[in-house]
Amino acid sequence: YFWDERDGPTSHGWWFGPKEGSQLVWAYNSSNCSQEDLTVPTSGWKVPWDGEVDPTLEITTHDDTDAKTKRRRDRMLDRMRSKL
């Protein structure tokens, strides 16, 4: 979830936890915090939230997943057609 500046600059950003506003959080990201770009960051997440950036944590959206699945399916169909 995204938390605005209402609780100060240290709380402003993206949080990964079980519910919005939860005291229990696993990751934090201060990227994409402007009102013009409120998209979930795909990388740069600190895990734990007060630790270092974990390069292995990557977030994908349904749109990203759908596009990847479509490209994979299209490649498979192309290979199948080439064998006919």
Side-chain angles (χ1 to χ4, degrees):
Y1 60 89
F2 178 76
W3 200 256
D4 62 19
E5 294 178 316
R6 73 184 83 184
D7 293 325
T10 57
S11 297
H12 185 219
W14 294 91
W15 296 88
F16 197 97
K19 64 180 184 174
E20 185 177 339
S22 176
Q23 294 296 314
L24 174 64
V25 292
W26 301 294
Y28 170 73
N29 194 315
S30 60
S31 301
N32 301 356
C33 289
S34 72
Q35 292 298 326
E36 294 79 36
D37 183 23
L38 288 178
T39 56
V40 177
T42 58
S43 61
W45 289 86
K46 292 182 178 183
V47 181
W49 67 271
D50 59 350
E52 298 295 318
V53 170
D54 181 347
T56 64
L57 177 60
E58 293 184 5
I59 306 295
T60 58
T61 64
H62 288 289
D63 291 339
D64 290 341
T65 303
D66 290 345
K68 287 177 185 174
T69 300
K70 183 182 182 314
R71 284 194 301 272
R72 196 171 333 139
R73 185 187 68 228
D74 290 345
R75 284 194 304 269
M76 183 181 70
L77 289 172
D78 287 343
R79 283 193 304 269
M80 290 171 63
R81 286 184 193 116
S82 69
K83 293 179 182 181
L84 294 176

